[in-house]
Coordinates of all heavy atoms in Angstrom, one line a residue:
M1 N 47.7 171.0 -53.1 CA 47.0 169.8 -52.5 C 45.5 170.0 -52.6 O 45.0 171.1 -52.3 CB 47.5 169.7 -51.0 CG 46.8 168.6 -50.3 SD 47.2 168.5 -48.6 CE 48.5 167.3 -48.7
E2 N 44.8 169.0 -52.9 CA 43.3 169.1 -53.0 C 42.7 169.2 -51.7 O 43.1 168.5 -50.7 CB 42.8 167.8 -53.8 CG 43.2 167.7 -55.2 CD 42.7 166.5 -55.8 OE1 43.1 165.4 -55.4 OE2 41.8 166.6 -56.7
S3 N 41.6 169.9 -51.6 CA 40.8 170.0 -50.3 C 40.0 168.7 -50.2 O 39.8 167.9 -51.2 CB 39.9 171.2 -50.3 OG 38.9 171.0 -51.2
T4 N 39.5 168.4 -49.0 CA 38.7 167.3 -48.7 C 37.5 167.3 -49.6 O 37.0 166.3 -50.1 CB 38.3 167.2 -47.2 OG1 39.5 167.2 -46.5 CG2 37.5 166.0 -46.9
L5 N 36.9 168.5 -49.8 CA 35.7 168.6 -50.6 C 36.0 168.2 -52.0 O 35.2 167.5 -52.7 CB 35.1 170.1 -50.5 CG 33.9 170.4 -51.3 CD1 32.7 169.5 -50.8 CD2 33.5 171.8 -51.2
E6 N 37.1 168.7 -52.6 CA 37.5 168.3 -53.9 C 37.7 166.8 -54.1 O 37.3 166.2 -55.1 CB 38.7 169.1 -54.4 CG 38.5 170.6 -54.5 CD 39.8 171.4 -54.6 OE1 40.8 170.9 -54.1 OE2 39.8 172.5 -55.2
I7 N 38.3 166.2 -53.1 CA 38.6 164.8 -53.1 C 37.2 164.0 -53.1 O 37.0 163.1 -53.9 CB 39.4 164.3 -52.0 CG1 40.8 164.9 -52.1 CG2 39.5 162.8 -51.9 CD1 41.7 164.8 -50.9
R8 N 36.3 164.5 -52.3 CA 35.0 163.8 -52.2 C 34.3 163.9 -53.5 O 33.7 163.0 -54.0 CB 34.1 164.5 -51.1 CG 34.6 164.1 -49.7 CD 33.7 164.9 -48.7 NE 34.3 164.8 -47.4 CZ 34.0 163.9 -46.5 NH1 33.2 163.0 -46.7 NH2 34.6 164.0 -45.3
K9 N 34.3 165.1 -54.1 CA 33.6 165.3 -55.4 C 34.2 164.4 -56.5 O 33.5 163.7 -57.3 CB 33.7 166.7 -55.9 CG 32.8 167.7 -55.1 CD 33.0 169.1 -55.7 CE 32.1 170.1 -54.9 NZ 32.3 171.5 -55.3
R10 N 35.6 164.3 -56.5 CA 36.2 163.4 -57.4 C 35.9 161.9 -57.2 O 35.6 161.2 -58.2 CB 37.7 163.6 -57.3 CG 38.5 163.0 -58.4 CD 40.0 163.4 -58.3 NE 40.7 162.7 -59.3 CZ 42.0 162.4 -59.2 NH1 42.7 162.8 -58.1 NH2 42.6 161.7 -60.1
I11 N 35.9 161.5 -56.0 CA 35.5 160.1 -55.7 C 34.1 159.8 -56.1 O 33.8 158.8 -56.7 CB 35.8 159.8 -54.2 CG1 37.3 159.8 -53.9 CG2 35.1 158.5 -53.8 CD1 37.6 159.7 -52.5
H12 N 33.1 160.8 -55.8 CA 31.7 160.6 -56.2 C 31.6 160.5 -57.7 O 30.8 159.6 -58.2 CB 30.9 161.7 -55.7 CG 30.5 161.6 -54.2 ND1 29.6 160.7 -53.8 CD2 30.9 162.2 -53.1 CE1 29.5 160.8 -52.5 NE2 30.3 161.7 -52.1
G13 N 32.4 161.2 -58.4 CA 32.4 161.1 -59.9 C 32.8 159.8 -60.3 O 32.2 159.2 -61.3
F14 N 33.9 159.2 -59.7 CA 34.3 157.9 -60.1 C 33.2 156.8 -59.8 O 33.0 155.9 -60.6 CB 35.6 157.5 -59.3 CG 36.9 157.9 -60.0 CD1 37.7 158.9 -59.3 CD2 37.3 157.4 -61.2 CE1 38.9 159.3 -59.9 CE2 38.4 157.8 -61.8 CZ 39.2 158.8 -61.2
I15 N 32.6 157.0 -58.6 CA 31.6 156.0 -58.2 C 30.4 156.1 -59.2 O 29.8 155.1 -59.6 CB 31.1 156.2 -56.8 CG1 32.3 155.8 -55.9 CG2 29.9 155.4 -56.4 CD1 32.1 156.2 -54.4
D16 N 30.0 157.3 -59.5 CA 28.8 157.5 -60.4 C 29.0 157.0 -61.8 O 28.1 156.5 -62.4 CB 28.4 158.9 -60.4 CG 27.8 159.4 -59.0 OD1 27.5 158.5 -58.2 OD2 27.8 160.6 -58.8
T17 N 30.3 157.1 -62.3 CA 30.5 156.8 -63.7 C 31.5 155.6 -63.8 O 31.8 155.2 -64.9 CB 31.1 158.0 -64.4 OG1 32.3 158.3 -63.8 CG2 30.1 159.1 -64.4
G18 N 32.0 155.1 -62.7 CA 33.0 154.0 -62.8 C 32.5 152.7 -63.3 O 31.4 152.3 -63.2
D19 N 33.5 152.0 -63.9 CA 33.2 150.7 -64.4 C 33.3 149.7 -63.2 O 33.6 150.1 -62.1 CB 34.1 150.3 -65.6 CG 35.6 150.3 -65.2 OD1 35.9 150.4 -64.0 OD2 36.4 150.1 -66.1
E20 N 33.1 148.5 -63.5 CA 33.0 147.4 -62.4 C 34.4 147.4 -61.7 O 34.4 147.2 -60.5 CB 32.7 146.1 -63.0 CG 32.6 145.0 -62.0 CD 32.2 143.6 -62.5 OE1 31.9 143.5 -63.7 OE2 32.3 142.7 -61.7
R21 N 35.5 147.5 -62.5 CA 36.8 147.4 -61.9 C 37.0 148.5 -60.8 O 37.4 148.2 -59.7 CB 37.9 147.5 -63.0 CG 39.3 147.4 -62.5 CD 40.3 147.6 -63.6 NE 40.3 149.0 -64.1 CZ 41.1 149.9 -63.5 NH1 41.8 149.7 -62.5 NH2 41.0 151.2 -64.0
I22 N 36.6 149.7 -61.1 CA 36.8 150.8 -60.2 C 35.9 150.6 -59.0 O 36.3 150.8 -57.8 CB 36.4 152.2 -60.9 CG1 37.3 152.5 -62.0 CG2 36.3 153.3 -59.8 CD1 38.7 152.9 -61.5
L23 N 34.7 150.2 -59.2 CA 33.7 149.9 -58.1 C 34.3 148.8 -57.1 O 34.2 148.9 -55.9 CB 32.4 149.6 -58.6 CG 31.7 150.7 -59.4 CD1 30.3 150.2 -59.9 CD2 31.5 151.9 -58.5
R24 N 34.9 147.8 -57.7 CA 35.4 146.7 -56.9 C 36.6 147.2 -56.1 O 36.8 146.8 -55.0 CB 35.8 145.5 -57.8 CG 34.6 144.8 -58.3 CD 34.9 143.4 -58.9 NE 33.8 142.8 -59.5 CZ 32.8 142.2 -58.8 NH1 32.9 142.1 -57.5 NH2 31.8 141.6 -59.4
I25 N 37.4 148.1 -56.7 CA 38.6 148.6 -56.0 C 38.1 149.4 -54.8 O 38.6 149.2 -53.6 CB 39.4 149.5 -56.9 CG1 40.1 148.6 -57.9 CG2 40.4 150.4 -56.1 CD1 40.8 149.4 -59.0
F26 N 37.1 150.3 -55.0 CA 36.5 151.1 -53.9 C 35.9 150.2 -52.8 O 36.1 150.4 -51.6 CB 35.5 152.1 -54.3 CG 36.0 153.3 -54.9 CD1 35.9 153.7 -56.2 CD2 36.8 154.2 -54.1 CE1 36.4 154.9 -56.7 CE2 37.3 155.4 -54.6 CZ 37.1 155.7 -55.9
N27 N 35.2 149.1 -53.2 CA 34.6 148.2 -52.3 C 35.7 147.5 -51.5 O 35.5 147.3 -50.3 CB 33.8 147.2 -53.1 CG 32.9 146.4 -52.2 OD1 32.2 147.0 -51.3 ND2 32.9 145.1 -52.3
G28 N 36.8 147.1 -52.1 CA 37.9 146.5 -51.4 C 38.5 147.4 -50.3 O 38.8 147.0 -49.2
I29 N 38.7 148.6 -50.7 CA 39.2 149.6 -49.8 C 38.3 149.8 -48.6 O 38.7 149.8 -47.4 CB 39.4 151.0 -50.5 CG1 40.6 150.9 -51.5 CG2 39.7 152.1 -49.5 CD1 40.7 152.1 -52.4
M30 N 37.0 149.9 -48.8 CA 36.1 150.0 -47.7 C 36.0 148.8 -46.8 O 36.0 148.9 -45.6 CB 34.7 150.3 -48.3 CG 34.5 151.7 -48.9 SD 32.9 152.2 -49.5 CE 32.5 150.9 -50.7
D31 N 36.1 147.6 -47.4 CA 36.1 146.4 -46.6 C 37.4 146.4 -45.7 O 37.3 146.0 -44.5 CB 36.2 145.1 -47.5 CG 34.8 144.8 -48.2 OD1 33.8 145.4 -47.7 OD2 34.8 144.0 -49.1
T32 N 38.5 146.7 -46.3 CA 39.7 146.8 -45.5 C 39.6 147.8 -44.3 O 40.0 147.5 -43.2 CB 40.9 147.1 -46.4 OG1 41.0 146.1 -47.4 CG2 42.2 147.2 -45.6
E33 N 39.1 148.9 -44.7 CA 38.9 150.0 -43.7 C 38.0 149.5 -42.5 O 38.3 149.8 -41.4 CB 38.4 151.2 -44.3 CG 38.5 152.5 -43.6 CD 39.9 152.9 -43.2 OE1 40.9 152.6 -44.0 OE2 40.1 153.6 -42.2
E34 N 36.9 148.9 -42.9 CA 36.0 148.4 -41.8 C 36.6 147.3 -41.0 O 36.4 147.3 -39.8 CB 34.7 147.8 -42.5 CG 33.8 148.9 -43.1 CD 32.7 148.4 -43.9 OE1 32.6 147.2 -44.2 OE2 31.9 149.2 -44.4
Q35 N 37.4 146.4 -41.6 CA 38.1 145.4 -40.8 C 39.1 146.0 -39.8 O 39.2 145.5 -38.7 CB 38.8 144.4 -41.7 CG 37.9 143.5 -42.5 CD 38.6 142.7 -43.6 OE1 39.8 142.8 -43.7 NE2 37.8 141.9 -44.3
E36 N 39.8 147.0 -40.2 CA 40.8 147.6 -39.4 C 40.1 148.3 -38.2 O 40.7 148.4 -37.1 CB 41.7 148.6 -40.2 CG 42.6 147.9 -41.1 CD 43.4 148.8 -42.0 OE1 43.2 150.1 -41.8 OE2 44.2 148.4 -42.8
K37 N 38.9 148.9 -38.4 CA 38.2 149.6 -37.3 C 37.7 148.6 -36.3 O 37.6 148.9 -35.1 CB 37.0 150.3 -37.9 CG 37.4 151.6 -38.6 CD 36.1 152.3 -39.2 CE 36.5 153.5 -40.0 NZ 35.3 154.1 -40.6
D38 N 37.4 147.3 -36.7 CA 37.0 146.3 -35.8 C 38.1 145.8 -34.9 O 37.8 145.1 -33.9 CB 36.3 145.2 -36.5 CG 35.0 145.5 -37.2 OD1 34.4 146.6 -36.8 OD2 34.6 144.8 -38.1
Q39 N 39.3 146.0 -35.3 CA 40.5 145.5 -34.5 C 41.1 146.6 -33.7 O 41.5 147.6 -34.3 CB 41.5 144.8 -35.5 CG 40.9 143.6 -36.2 CD 41.9 143.0 -37.2 OE1 43.0 143.5 -37.2 NE2 41.5 142.1 -37.9
P40 N 41.3 146.4 -32.4 CA 41.9 147.5 -31.7 C 43.4 147.6 -32.0 O 44.0 146.6 -32.5 CB 41.8 147.0 -30.2 CG 41.6 145.5 -30.3 CD 40.9 145.2 -31.7
P41 N 43.9 148.8 -31.9 CA 45.3 149.0 -32.2 C 46.2 148.1 -31.3 O 45.8 147.9 -30.1 CB 45.6 150.5 -32.0 CG 44.5 150.9 -31.2 CD 43.3 150.0 -31.4
V42 N 47.4 147.7 -31.7 CA 48.3 147.0 -30.9 C 49.0 147.9 -29.9 O 49.6 148.9 -30.3 CB 49.3 146.2 -31.7 CG1 50.3 145.5 -30.9 CG2 48.7 145.3 -32.7
P43 N 48.9 147.7 -28.6 CA 49.5 148.6 -27.6 C 51.0 148.6 -27.7 O 51.6 147.5 -28.0 CB 48.9 148.1 -26.3 CG 48.5 146.7 -26.5 CD 48.2 146.6 -28.0
E44 N 51.6 149.7 -27.3 CA 53.1 149.8 -27.3 C 53.7 148.7 -26.4 O 54.8 148.2 -26.7 CB 53.5 151.2 -26.9 CG 54.9 151.5 -27.0 CD 55.4 151.3 -28.5 OE1 54.7 151.6 -29.4 OE2 56.6 150.9 -28.6
W45 N 53.1 148.4 -25.3 CA 53.7 147.4 -24.3 C 53.9 146.1 -25.0 O 54.8 145.3 -24.7 CB 52.9 147.3 -23.1 CG 51.5 146.8 -23.2 CD1 50.3 147.5 -23.3 CD2 51.1 145.4 -23.3 NE1 49.2 146.7 -23.5 CE2 49.7 145.4 -23.5 CE3 51.8 144.2 -23.3 CZ2 49.0 144.2 -23.7 CZ3 51.1 143.0 -23.5 CH2 49.7 143.0 -23.6
F46 N 53.0 145.7 -25.9 CA 53.1 144.5 -26.6 C 54.4 144.4 -27.5 O 55.1 143.4 -27.4 CB 51.9 144.2 -27.5 CG 51.9 142.9 -28.2 CD1 51.5 141.7 -27.5 CD2 52.2 142.8 -29.5 CE1 51.5 140.5 -28.1 CE2 52.2 141.5 -30.1 CZ 51.9 140.4 -29.4
Y47 N 54.7 145.5 -28.2 CA 55.9 145.6 -29.0 C 57.1 145.5 -28.1 O 58.1 144.9 -28.4 CB 55.9 146.8 -29.8 CG 54.9 146.8 -31.0 CD1 53.8 147.6 -30.9 CD2 55.0 145.9 -32.0 CE1 52.9 147.6 -32.0 CE2 54.1 145.9 -33.1 CZ 53.0 146.7 -33.0 OH 52.1 146.7 -34.0
E48 N 57.0 146.2 -26.9 CA 58.2 146.2 -26.0 C 58.4 144.7 -25.5 O 59.6 144.3 -25.4 CB 57.9 147.1 -24.8 CG 57.9 148.6 -25.2 CD 57.4 149.5 -24.2 OE1 57.0 149.0 -23.1 OE2 57.3 150.7 -24.4
K49 N 57.3 144.0 -25.2 CA 57.5 142.6 -24.7 C 58.1 141.8 -25.8 O 59.0 140.9 -25.6 CB 56.1 142.1 -24.3 CG 56.1 140.8 -23.6 CD 54.8 140.5 -23.0 CE 54.8 139.2 -22.2 NZ 53.5 138.9 -21.6
L50 N 57.7 142.0 -27.1 CA 58.2 141.2 -28.2 C 59.7 141.5 -28.3 O 60.5 140.6 -28.6 CB 57.5 141.5 -29.5 CG 56.1 140.9 -29.7 CD1 55.5 141.4 -31.0 CD2 56.2 139.4 -29.6
D51 N 60.1 142.8 -28.2 CA 61.5 143.1 -28.3 C 62.3 142.4 -27.3 O 63.4 141.9 -27.5 CB 61.7 144.6 -28.2 CG 61.2 145.4 -29.5 OD1 61.1 144.7 -30.5 OD2 61.0 146.6 -29.4
K52 N 61.8 142.4 -26.0 CA 62.6 141.7 -24.9 C 62.7 140.2 -25.2 O 63.8 139.6 -25.0 CB 61.8 141.9 -23.6 CG 62.0 143.3 -23.1 CD 61.3 143.6 -21.8 CE 61.3 145.0 -21.4 NZ 60.6 145.3 -20.1
R53 N 61.6 139.6 -25.7 CA 61.7 138.2 -26.0 C 62.7 137.9 -27.1 O 63.5 136.9 -27.1 CB 60.3 137.7 -26.4 CG 59.4 137.5 -25.3 CD 58.1 136.9 -25.7 NE 57.2 136.7 -24.6 CZ 56.0 136.2 -24.7 NH1 55.5 135.8 -25.9 NH2 55.2 136.1 -23.7
K54 N 62.7 138.8 -28.1 CA 63.7 138.7 -29.3 C 65.1 138.8 -28.8 O 66.0 138.0 -29.2 CB 63.4 139.7 -30.3 CG 64.3 139.7 -31.5 CD 63.9 140.8 -32.5 CE 64.9 140.8 -33.7 NZ 64.6 141.9 -34.5
E55 N 65.4 139.7 -27.9 CA 66.7 139.9 -27.3 C 67.1 138.7 -26.6 O 68.3 138.2 -26.7 CB 66.7 141.1 -26.4 CG 66.6 142.5 -27.1 CD 66.5 143.6 -26.2 OE1 66.8 143.5 -24.9 OE2 66.1 144.7 -26.6
K56 N 66.2 138.1 -25.8 CA 66.6 136.9 -25.1 C 66.9 135.7 -26.0 O 67.8 134.9 -25.8 CB 65.4 136.5 -24.1 CG 65.4 137.4 -22.9 CD 64.2 136.9 -22.0 CE 64.2 137.8 -20.7 NZ 63.2 137.3 -19.8
Y57 N 66.1 135.6 -27.1 CA 66.3 134.6 -28.1 C 67.6 134.7 -28.8 O 68.4 133.8 -28.9 CB 65.2 134.6 -29.1 CG 65.4 133.6 -30.3 CD1 65.2 132.3 -30.1 CD2 65.8 134.1 -31.5 CE1 65.5 131.4 -31.1 CE2 66.0 133.2 -32.5 CZ 65.9 131.9 -32.4 OH 66.1 131.0 -33.4
I58 N 67.9 135.9 -29.2 CA 69.2 136.2 -29.9 C 70.4 135.9 -29.0 O 71.4 135.4 -29.4 CB 69.2 137.6 -30.5 CG1 68.2 137.7 -31.6 CG2 70.6 138.0 -31.0 CD1 68.0 139.1 -32.1
S59 N 70.3 136.3 -27.7 CA 71.4 136.1 -26.8 C 71.6 134.7 -26.3 O 72.6 134.3 -25.7 CB 71.2 137.0 -25.6 OG 70.2 136.6 -24.8
G60 N 70.6 133.9 -26.6 CA 70.6 132.5 -26.2 C 70.1 132.2 -24.8 O 70.1 131.1 -24.3
E61 N 69.6 133.3 -24.2 CA 69.0 133.2 -22.9 C 67.7 132.4 -22.9 O 67.3 131.8 -21.9 CB 68.8 134.6 -22.3 CG 68.4 134.7 -20.9 CD 68.2 136.1 -20.4 OE1 68.8 137.0 -21.0 OE2 67.5 136.3 -19.4
A62 N 66.9 132.6 -24.0 CA 65.6 131.9 -24.1 C 65.8 130.7 -25.0 O 66.5 130.7 -25.9 CB 64.6 132.8 -24.7
K63 N 65.1 129.6 -24.6 CA 65.1 128.4 -25.4 C 64.0 128.4 -26.4 O 62.9 128.8 -26.1 CB 65.0 127.2 -24.4 CG 65.3 125.9 -25.0 CD 65.3 124.8 -24.0 CE 65.6 123.5 -24.7 NZ 65.7 122.4 -23.8
S64 N 64.2 127.8 -27.5 CA 63.2 127.7 -28.5 C 63.1 126.2 -29.0 O 64.0 125.4 -28.7 CB 63.5 128.6 -29.7 OG 64.7 128.2 -30.4
F65 N 61.9 125.9 -29.6 CA 61.7 124.6 -30.0 C 61.2 124.5 -31.4 O 60.5 125.5 -31.9 CB 60.6 123.9 -29.1 CG 60.9 123.9 -27.6 CD1 60.5 125.0 -26.8 CD2 61.7 122.9 -27.1 CE1 60.9 125.0 -25.5 CE2 62.0 122.9 -25.8 CZ 61.6 123.9 -24.9
T66 N 61.4 123.4 -32.1 CA 60.8 123.3 -33.5 C 59.4 122.8 -33.3 O 59.0 122.4 -32.2 CB 61.6 122.2 -34.3 OG1 61.4 120.9 -33.6 CG2 63.1 122.5 -34.4
W67 N 58.6 122.9 -34.4 CA 57.2 122.5 -34.3 C 57.1 121.0 -34.0 O 56.3 120.6 -33.2 CB 56.5 122.8 -35.6 CG 55.1 122.5 -35.6 CD1 54.4 121.6 -36.4 CD2 54.1 123.0 -34.7 NE1 53.1 121.6 -36.1 CE2 52.9 122.4 -35.1 CE3 54.1 123.9 -33.7 CZ2 51.7 122.7 -34.4 CZ3 52.9 124.2 -33.0 CH2 51.7 123.6 -33.4
E68 N 58.1 120.2 -34.5 CA 58.1 118.8 -34.2 C 58.3 118.5 -32.8 O 57.7 117.6 -32.2 CB 59.1 118.1 -35.1 CG 58.8 118.0 -36.6 CD 58.9 119.3 -37.3 OE1 59.7 120.2 -36.9 OE2 58.2 119.5 -38.3
E69 N 59.2 119.3 -32.1 CA 59.5 119.1 -30.7 C 58.2 119.5 -29.9 O 57.9 118.8 -28.9 CB 60.6 120.0 -30.3 CG 62.0 119.5 -30.8 CD 63.1 120.5 -30.6 OE1 62.8 121.8 -30.6 OE2 64.2 120.1 -30.3
I70 N 57.5 120.5 -30.3 CA 56.3 120.9 -29.6 C 55.3 119.8 -29.7 O 54.6 119.4 -28.7 CB 55.7 122.2 -30.1 CG1 56.7 123.3 -30.0 CG2 54.4 122.5 -29.5 CD1 56.9 123.8 -28.6
K71 N 55.1 119.3 -30.9 CA 54.1 118.2 -31.1 C 54.4 116.9 -30.3 O 53.6 116.3 -29.8 CB 53.9 117.9 -32.5 CG 53.2 119.0 -33.3 CD 52.8 118.6 -34.7 CE 54.0 118.3 -35.6 NZ 53.7 118.0 -37.0
A72 N 55.7 116.7 -30.2 CA 56.2 115.5 -29.5 C 55.9 115.5 -28.0 O 55.8 114.5 -27.3 CB 57.7 115.2 -29.7
K73 N 55.8 116.8 -27.4 CA 55.6 116.9 -26.0 C 54.1 116.7 -25.6 O 53.8 116.5 -24.4 CB 56.0 118.4 -25.6 CG 57.5 118.6 -25.6 CD 57.8 120.0 -25.0 CE 59.3 120.2 -25.0 NZ 59.6 121.4 -24.3
E74 N 53.3 116.6 -26.5 CA 51.8 116.5 -26.2 C 51.5 115.1 -25.8 O 51.9 114.1 -26.0 CB 51.0 116.8 -27.4 CG 51.1 118.3 -27.7 CD 50.2 118.7 -29.0 OE1 49.7 117.8 -29.7 OE2 50.0 119.9 -29.2

């Protein structure tokens, strides 16, 4: 397995000599990474709440509506 230092050197080499395609790939990765940092992680309680709602829906305990039904209620 490569060390972090080796990986950094390899990436710098790609950046210094890379063609436009490589640079755009790195740029896309960095954009994605920055966007993920701006968004807080989803807390576990949220997933638990979704699971409970899903169970109620599957069991028929919860009622659901079509988009047309929702719009008609307005």
Side-chain angles (χ1 to χ4, degrees):
M1 177 183 264
E2 293 177 296
S3 71
T4 304
L5 180 61
E6 291 167 334
I7 294 170
R8 288 177 194 268
K9 286 180 182 178
R10 188 171 177 208
I11 290 172
H12 280 287
F14 273 116
I15 291 171
D16 293 340
T17 61
D19 61 7
E20 182 180 353
R21 183 182 68 85
I22 296 292
L23 296 175
R24 289 193 184 281
I25 290 170
F26 278 117
N27 193 48
I29 292 170
M30 290 185 300
D31 285 347
T32 301
E33 196 62 27
E34 288 170 355
Q35 288 172 0
E36 289 176 1
K37 286 180 185 177
D38 291 342
Q39 297 177 4
V42 178
E44 187 61 32
W45 64 263
F46 183 78
Y47 290 111
E48 291 168 3
K49 191 171 185 175
L50 285 178
D51 287 340
K52 287 179 184 177
R53 286 183 178 182
K54 180 180 175 185
E55 288 173 15
K56 286 182 178 182
Y57 172 75
I58 291 172
S59 71
E61 187 178 339
K63 191 172 180 182
S64 62
F65 302 94
T66 65
W67 183 241
E68 288 75 23
E69 290 171 325
I70 299 289
K71 290 191 295 186
K73 289 184 177 189
E74 293 180 349

